[in-house]
């Protein structure tokens, strides 16, 4: 059998395996769990216990009676604790009523079952058929504190994926305080890895970072409260020596959570590497009384022996099919136009309808009304929380406007920022205690707004009813759910002192609860998450909102890095990508309209500008771009395998491609940031094609229409029509590449020029 969870009774070893991966652990002499192996599939057999090693070492603490030599500090543990001889960071910590944090969780039983349980509204991956996954629950128990721990492992048959979480239940009468509860821990017996992670800030989210593991602790974290944050993403990967985009062994770890997190790799002085991901233990404490449980978020572990591209494709396929739960998960995304950068707060219904009419003329399918439609919201100082339409701007309210837009033949979408409030709002004046703030402390503000306390059910209930009323009476197909600040002065007015450490986690559970209720009542609406751009781009929200606004920085050149980094861990159909106006709002940079579209094709695709301000030639260009995306978006967004071809982090170029599953069709994009004079030759090498298939390669090498209109003939080249069309085998395209002439890049504008290639099997 090629898919199983086996328990070898005599040596007490668990082996979880499918066609691609194996995961092995055993029950040790002290009844705790030891990790033995995780990686490429190996044959199942009796006898894996030889992987346990013991040696007498100085300063070792032995946790079993003499003459035993079992020491936790030198054992690769499955879910380690502190206090019984392991001096590395623990996966969990429990404060008991007597003040002790020492625990001893011993194996009690285990169960293997088909399928995968749900812990909604806490998002996790799921199954559509029970037989596609096996779940192992290992129950351990601490007799002194009377606390139960269940380590849960779900193995999927058709993915190199293992999902892990942990659940604590207090069975005894004494209450306990869970001070640390990581979602998983896994150990490797060496440190021969590089750590890859995604870091940045607003406007430059998810930049690719890599460093070699060394002794000590290497970690990234978030303490932002409301989100994982723009600074660091809750995904890390370990790359074996020599691993790159296309070869070598890579381990991925992606936390399905949207709040404070910690991703940590600790290398001991004996070069053992312990990987842990979970809720950040800083400012975290969870009280459990008798009968109460705590459920951790999930970590999705993925393995590839085909480099980072192989890891990414595993994550992309899995998230599209078994993490996104919306009806939109395998549907092409509508081509939208958002009015924000066209109008900001300055609009009325007439202006909005003019923009929507032009969107319909060029072929867009969805119009999205952004911030400024509610309360007294004429700037960002006031109105947040007052979710009633401003009738001075929109006399018919959202209902009337949505009906008019739909009558044009467009779908209608709406922006909300549901978790925030301005003090200058009717809601704040009615409920000033609903904001998060510590007693007697100054309430720090950000963007003139404060955070509503979503750890309180009555707050979530109120917002739900306000939003649901609008959705029930209006014709709304899409929601952009924004969130524009981090949490400060974390404190809830309704939690007792001993439970204040639960507040930030309860806040995130409140966000999930609101998402769950809205997506349940309105299953046909496409939700897009947003957080000052990409500050909440995580796996958890993909469960409810199958796409996320990637970054407020919509400049095409900057997006090369942002979208490249995001694609490491997330499918490109989840990446909100728009063509915006120039000069760019963030960088004041001018890039060709064609390049802005070519970059946005590798995402959800849409526009964020006033089309009425474009020239007739530019409008024709937009129509051509929309037709292209409609023709190819199923390949790009849903069916194709995505490849990163050239890294913008390593040079002046960037390259992406998508290839159909049958290798019969591909689309590739080459982008250069700056032009060069008298430069070297370019060979653009592709990936993922069939070596022995003959392909036709075609590309429009003409300047875009708007560029041709504005360009004066140069002595070095002319702008007459020029098309690329030739035949080559897949092996040629991958080993030799497509020759790109520098002149053609200059014809496209030189700086920030891009070329799009269609590759079709003959």
């Amino acid at each position: 059998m090629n898919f199983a969870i086996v328990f070898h009774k005599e040596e007490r070893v668990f082996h979880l395996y499918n066609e691609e991966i194996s995961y092995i652990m055993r029950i040790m002499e002290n009844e705790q769990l030891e990790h033995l192996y995780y990686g490429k599939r190996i044959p199942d057999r009796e006898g894996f216990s030889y992987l346990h090693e013991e040696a007498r070492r100085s300063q070792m603490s032995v946790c079993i009676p003499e003459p035993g030599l079992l020491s936790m500090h030198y054992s690769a543990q499955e879910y380690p604790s502190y206090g019984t001889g392991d001096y590395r960071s623990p996966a969990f910590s429990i404060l008991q009523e007597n003040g002790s944090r020492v625990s001893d969780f011993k194996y009690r039983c285990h169960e293997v079952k088909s399928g995968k349980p749900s812990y909604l509204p806490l998002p996790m991956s799921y199954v559509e058929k029970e037989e596609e996954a096996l779940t192992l629950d290992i129950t351990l128990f601490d007799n002194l504190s009377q606390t139960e721990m269940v380590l849960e492992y779900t193995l999927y048959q058709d993915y190199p994926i293992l999902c892990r979480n942990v659940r604590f239940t207090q069975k005894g009468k004494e209450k306990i305080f869970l001070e640390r509860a990581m979602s998983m821990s896994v150990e490797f017996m060496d440190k021969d890895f590089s750590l890859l992670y995604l870091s940045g800030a607003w406007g430059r989210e998810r930049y690719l970072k890599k460093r070699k593991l060394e002794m000590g602790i290497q970690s990234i974290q978030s303490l932002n409260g409301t989100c994982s944050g723009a600074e660091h993403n809750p995904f890390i990967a370990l790359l074996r020596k020599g691993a790159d985009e296309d070869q070598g062994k890579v381990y991925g770890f992606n936390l399905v959570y949207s709040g404070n997190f910690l991703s940590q790799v600790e290398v001991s002085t004996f070069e053992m590497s312990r990987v842990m991901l979970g809720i950040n233990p800083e400012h975290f404490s969870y009280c459990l009384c008798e009968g109460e449980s705590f459920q951790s978020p999930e970590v999705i572990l993925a393995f590839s022996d085909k480099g980072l591209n192989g890891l990414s494709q595993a994550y992309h396929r899995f998230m599209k099919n078994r993490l996104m739960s919306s009806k939109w998960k395998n549907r092409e995304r509508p081509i939208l136009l958002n009015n924000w950068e066209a109008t900001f707060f300055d609009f009325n219904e007439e202006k909005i309808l003019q923009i929507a009419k032009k969107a319909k003329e060029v072929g867009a399918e969805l119009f999205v009304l952004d911030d400024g439609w509610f309360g007294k919201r004429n700037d960002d100082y006031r109105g947040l929380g007052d979710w009633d339409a401003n009738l001075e701007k929109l006399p018919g309210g959202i209902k009337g406007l949505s009906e008019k837009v739909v009558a044009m033949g467009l779908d209608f979408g709406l922006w909300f920022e549901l978790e925030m409030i301005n003090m200058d709002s009717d809601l704040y004046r009615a409920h000033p205690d609903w904001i998060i703030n510590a007693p007697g402390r100054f309430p720090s503000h950000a963007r003139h707004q404060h955070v509503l306390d979503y750890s309180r059910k009555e707050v979530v209930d109120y917002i739900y009813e306000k939003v649901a009323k609008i959705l029930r009476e209006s014709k709304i197909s899409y929601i952009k759910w924004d969130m524009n600040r981090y949490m400060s002065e974390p404190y809830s007015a309704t939690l007792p002192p001993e439970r204040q450490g639960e507040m930030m986690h309860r806040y995130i559970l409140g966000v999930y609860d609101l998402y769950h209720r809205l997506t349940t009542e309105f299953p046909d609406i496409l939700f897009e998450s947003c957080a000052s751009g990409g500050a909440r781009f995580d796996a958890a929200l993909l469960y409810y909102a199958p796409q996320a606004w990637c970054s407020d920085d919509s400049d095409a050149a900057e997006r090369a890095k942002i979208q490249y980094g995001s694609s490491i861990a997330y499918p490109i159909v989840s990446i909100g990508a728009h063509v915006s106006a120039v000069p760019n709002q963030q960088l004041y940079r001018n890039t060709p309209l064609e390049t802005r579209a070519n970059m946005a094709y590798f995402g959800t695709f849409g526009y964020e500008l006033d089309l009425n301000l474009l020239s007739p030639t530019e409008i024709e260009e937009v129509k051509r771009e929309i037709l292209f995306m409609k023709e190819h978006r199923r390949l790009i967004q849903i069916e194709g395998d995505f490849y990163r071809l050239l890294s913008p982090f390593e040079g002046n170029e960037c390259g992406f491609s998508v290839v159909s599953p049958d290798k019969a069709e591909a689309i590739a994009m080459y982008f250069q940031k700056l032009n060069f004079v008298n430069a070297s030759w370019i060979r653009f090498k592709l990936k993922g094609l069939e070596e022995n298939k003959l392909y036709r390669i075609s590309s429009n090498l003409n300047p875009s229409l708007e560029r041709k209109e504005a360009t004066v003939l140069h002595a070095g080249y002319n702008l007459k029509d020029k098309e690329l069309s030739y035949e080559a085998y897949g092996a040629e395209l991958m080993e030799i590449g497509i020759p790109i002439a520098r002149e053609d890049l200059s014809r496209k504008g030189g700086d920030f020029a891009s070329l799009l290639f269609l590759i079709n099997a003959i």
Side-chain angles (χ1 to χ4, degrees):
M1 185 176 180
N2 294 323
F3 167 57
I5 296 178
V6 177
F7 180 60
H8 297 288
K9 290 184 180 180
E10 288 199 12
E11 59 175 1
R12 303 208 294 176
V13 166
F14 296 93
H15 186 189
L16 297 74
Y17 63 88
N18 60 23
E19 289 281 3
E20 297 184 76
I21 62 172
S22 281
Y23 194 98
I24 305 173
M25 53 191 162
R26 68 183 279 268
I27 304 167
M28 297 184 286
E29 294 172 73
N30 65 349
E31 302 299 313
Q32 295 181 21
L33 292 178
E34 178 181 27
H35 179 79
L36 296 181
Y37 173 77
Y38 169 44
K40 188 172 182 177
R41 161 73 186 276
I42 59 175
D44 183 51
R45 67 180 185 88
E46 294 274 2
F48 288 125
S49 57
Y50 79 92
L51 294 170
H52 172 76
E53 297 177 82
E54 290 182 3
R56 189 178 299 278
R57 302 183 186 276
S58 63
Q59 298 179 322
M60 68 185 286
S61 298
V62 178
C63 62
I64 58 175
E66 295 187 271
L69 289 177
L70 183 61
S71 172
M72 294 294 94
H73 191 69
Y74 304 104
S75 298
Q77 297 173 66
E78 194 60 27
Y79 198 69
S81 65
Y82 176 82
T84 57
D86 185 354
Y87 304 105
R88 297 167 290 169
S89 299
F92 71 99
S93 179
I94 297 174
L95 175 63
Q96 297 140 62
E97 282 200 345
N98 65 3
S100 171
R101 291 178 175 82
V102 176
S103 60
D104 186 15
F105 281 88
K106 296 182 181 295
Y107 168 81
R108 174 167 279 188
C109 62
H110 71 272
E111 179 185 10
V112 178
K113 51 196 174 187
S114 296
K116 186 178 191 296
S118 170
Y119 298 102
L120 290 173
L122 185 66
M124 291 186 178
S125 60
Y126 59 89
V127 297
E128 292 187 346
K129 298 178 181 178
E130 293 293 302
E131 60 268 24
E132 71 186 52
L134 292 170
T135 294
L136 168 66
D137 282 349
I138 302 178
T139 301
L140 301 101
F141 199 76
D142 185 319
N143 284 320
L144 190 61
S145 67
Q146 292 287 290
T147 307
E148 179 185 85
M149 173 200 297
V150 178
L151 301 180
E152 187 165 274
Y153 305 76
T154 297
L155 178 71
Y156 284 81
Q157 181 170 10
D158 296 327
Y159 302 91
I161 296 287
L162 180 69
C163 296
R164 291 187 54 182
N165 68 78
V166 62
R167 182 172 62 258
F168 292 89
T169 302
Q170 179 55 7
K171 302 288 189 178
K173 297 186 181 301
E174 293 186 352
K175 64 185 175 186
I176 61 170
F177 291 88
L178 196 59
E179 297 182 325
R180 185 182 184 99
M182 305 303 283
S183 294
M184 58 133 286
S185 176
V186 67
E187 299 203 42
F188 299 92
M189 298 304 291
D190 64 277
K191 65 176 183 66
D192 196 14
F193 291 101
S194 291
L195 172 66
L196 180 144
Y197 53 103
L198 306 174
S199 296
W202 177 89
R204 48 181 174 86
E205 298 92 337
R206 290 172 302 286
Y207 275 25
L208 204 59
K209 305 293 180 182
K210 189 165 69 170
R211 53 179 157 163
K212 192 175 184 301
L213 287 189
E214 266 304 342
M215 292 178 186
I217 292 175
Q218 291 103 137
S219 66
I220 57 171
Q221 66 171 5
S222 166
L223 284 170
N224 301 321
T226 54
C227 59
S228 48
E231 290 75 21
H232 302 291
N233 191 267
F235 158 84
I236 60 172
L238 293 182
L239 282 65
R240 279 293 184 192
K241 187 175 181 180
D244 58 22
E245 278 288 327
D246 306 304
Q247 62 186 359
K249 296 178 181 177
V250 184
Y251 299 81
F253 307 89
N254 205 326
L255 178 65
V256 187
Y257 191 61
S258 308
N260 294 347
F261 73 88
L262 174 66
S263 301
Q264 177 176 299
V265 183
E266 181 172 2
V267 180
S268 75
T269 54
F270 285 84
E271 300 190 350
M272 299 167 67
S273 298
R274 176 177 289 177
V275 183
M276 293 191 295
L277 281 80
I279 294 174
N280 199 320
E282 188 74 25
H283 298 294
F284 172 82
S285 174
Y286 215 92
C287 179
L288 294 180
C289 297
E290 185 178 13
E292 292 183 334
S293 295
F294 174 83
Q295 175 62 54
S296 84
E298 177 176 82
V299 176
I300 303 173
L301 292 77
F303 171 77
S304 166
D305 61 356
K306 299 177 180 63
L308 268 173
N309 255 321
L311 183 82
S312 297
Q313 289 176 6
Y315 271 128
H316 294 182
R317 191 163 55 93
F318 182 74
M319 289 180 178
K320 285 193 288 187
N321 292 301
R322 293 298 178 265
L323 182 64
M324 296 177 181
S325 66
S326 165
K327 288 184 177 180
W328 286 88
K329 72 175 186 177
N330 276 319
R331 287 171 59 186
E332 303 97 322
R333 303 295 195 258
I335 296 170
L336 64 82
L337 185 137
N338 183 298
N339 75 295
W340 177 244
E341 291 193 15
T343 66
F344 298 102
F345 294 107
D346 183 19
F347 62 82
N348 56 29
E349 183 172 273
E350 181 182 3
K351 191 171 185 178
I352 290 299
L353 291 175
Q354 285 177 349
I355 295 172
K357 180 182 178 182
K358 199 67 175 180
K360 174 61 178 175
E361 288 178 11
V362 299
E365 300 158 316
L366 167 68
F367 173 80
V368 180
L369 180 64
D370 212 282
D371 196 357
W373 58 266
F374 51 90
K376 295 181 173 61
R377 187 73 167 173
N378 296 314
D379 52 44
D380 58 5
Y381 286 84
R382 68 202 85 247
L384 269 181
D386 296 340
W387 299 112
D388 295 299
N390 182 333
L391 298 182
E392 293 180 7
K393 291 183 176 181
L394 308 173
I398 293 300
K399 179 178 185 296
L401 178 64
S402 66
E403 289 171 348
K404 290 178 181 178
V405 171
V406 170
M408 290 181 182
L410 289 167
D411 288 334
F412 181 77
L414 192 61
W415 177 98
F416 287 96
E417 188 174 0
L418 298 175
E419 300 156 64
M420 304 298 153
I421 186 173
N422 292 127
M423 284 189 171
D424 187 357
S425 67
D426 292 339
L427 181 60
Y428 179 79
R429 286 183 279 272
H431 297 284
D433 63 313
W434 280 13
I435 71 167
I436 292 172
N437 189 52
R441 305 299 181 187
F442 176 77
S444 299
H445 49 88
R447 295 172 60 116
H448 324 296
Q449 62 192 46
H450 298 267
V451 185
L452 285 168
D453 186 357
Y454 267 40
S455 72
R456 298 172 61 169
K457 185 177 183 299
E458 67 270 27
V459 177
V460 177
D461 288 347
Y462 173 86
I463 297 296
Y464 170 72
E465 289 302 332
K466 295 294 290 187
V467 176
K469 180 178 183 298
I470 296 171
L471 300 185
R472 289 172 192 140
E473 66 186 19
S474 306
K475 295 182 180 298
I476 295 174
S477 304
Y478 164 102
I479 294 296
K480 180 181 178 181
W481 182 325
D482 209 344
M483 192 288 299
N484 279 308
R485 68 155 290 185
Y486 298 160
M487 190 184 297
S488 59
E489 292 77 45
Y491 186 92
S492 176
T494 58
L495 288 175
E498 66 183 13
R499 290 189 178 269
Q500 287 297 328
E502 303 173 17
M503 193 278 289
M504 285 189 275
H505 177 59
R506 288 184 179 274
Y507 175 93
I508 296 298
L509 293 180
V511 173
Y512 294 151
D513 178 50
L514 183 56
Y515 259 113
H516 181 68
R517 292 159 72 177
L518 289 173
T519 55
T520 299
E521 183 174 352
F522 307 100
D524 295 326
I525 291 179
L526 171 60
F527 282 77
E528 177 175 279
S529 65
C530 177
S532 279
R536 210 185 234 176
F537 205 119
D538 59 67
L541 280 192
L542 291 185
Y543 182 91
Y544 292 113
Q547 61 190 55
W549 184 227
C550 187
S551 175
D552 281 341
D553 185 350
S554 55
D555 173 74
E558 291 297 306
R559 275 303 187 99
K561 288 184 176 180
I562 297 168
Q563 292 178 212
Y564 187 102
S566 301
S567 75
I568 298 287
Y570 304 101
I572 61 172
V573 71
S574 69
I575 296 174
H578 294 172
V579 177
S580 61
V582 292
N584 177 262
Q585 290 285 344
Q586 292 76 40
L587 291 166
Y588 309 102
R589 177 184 286 152
N590 286 285
T591 55
L593 179 58
E594 182 179 27
T595 289
R596 283 175 271 156
N598 286 347
M599 195 64 68
Y601 289 148
F602 293 88
T604 57
F605 195 75
Y607 292 83
E608 192 139 350
L609 44 75
D610 187 348
L611 293 168
N612 292 291
L613 301 180
L614 300 188
S615 70
T617 305
E618 289 172 320
I619 288 295
E620 291 305 309
E621 182 80 11
V622 169
K623 290 179 180 178
R624 183 192 63 77
E625 292 165 357
I626 290 175
L627 284 173
F628 175 88
M629 191 60 182
K630 287 179 177 178
E631 181 179 352
H632 297 286
R633 62 182 160 183
R634 183 149 194 92
L635 170 65
I636 295 172
Q637 296 177 344
I638 306 302
E639 295 177 349
D641 293 321
F642 177 73
Y643 292 88
R644 293 175 296 273
L645 304 177
L646 294 166
S647 172
F649 296 101
E650 296 176 1
N652 190 56
E653 304 164 298
C654 178
F656 298 145
S657 73
V658 288
V659 181
S660 63
D662 62 1
K663 314 292 188 183
E665 183 182 4
I667 299 171
M669 188 270 295
Y670 174 91
F671 166 77
Q672 72 170 12
K673 192 166 186 179
L674 297 179
N675 207 8
F676 289 94
V677 64
N678 196 24
S680 57
W681 308 109
I682 301 172
R683 295 290 183 267
F684 184 38
K685 296 181 181 180
L686 306 185
K687 297 177 183 177
L689 303 176
E690 183 70 43
E691 289 188 355
N692 296 317
K693 269 187 179 175
L694 186 63
Y695 293 90
R696 177 169 298 282
I697 302 89
S698 59
S699 181
N700 179 2
L701 301 179
N702 301 313
S704 64
L705 297 175
E706 50 95 19
R707 178 68 61 162
K708 182 184 287 188
E709 182 182 67
T711 302
V712 178
L713 292 183
H714 189 276
Y717 60 91
N718 62 61
L719 300 180
K720 68 181 181 180
D721 289 347
K722 184 179 180 183
E723 299 284 336
L724 173 72
S725 181
Y726 75 102
E727 296 175 5
Y729 282 98
E732 297 173 63
L733 296 170
M734 293 188 290
E735 299 301 325
I736 301 172
I738 300 172
I740 293 178
R742 293 285 181 180
E743 176 184 317
D744 295 331
L745 292 170
S746 295
R747 289 161 58 86
K748 294 288 189 179
D751 292 347
F752 315 116
S754 62
L755 295 170
L756 201 66
F757 298 94
L758 301 183
I759 301 100
N760 292 284
I762 297 175

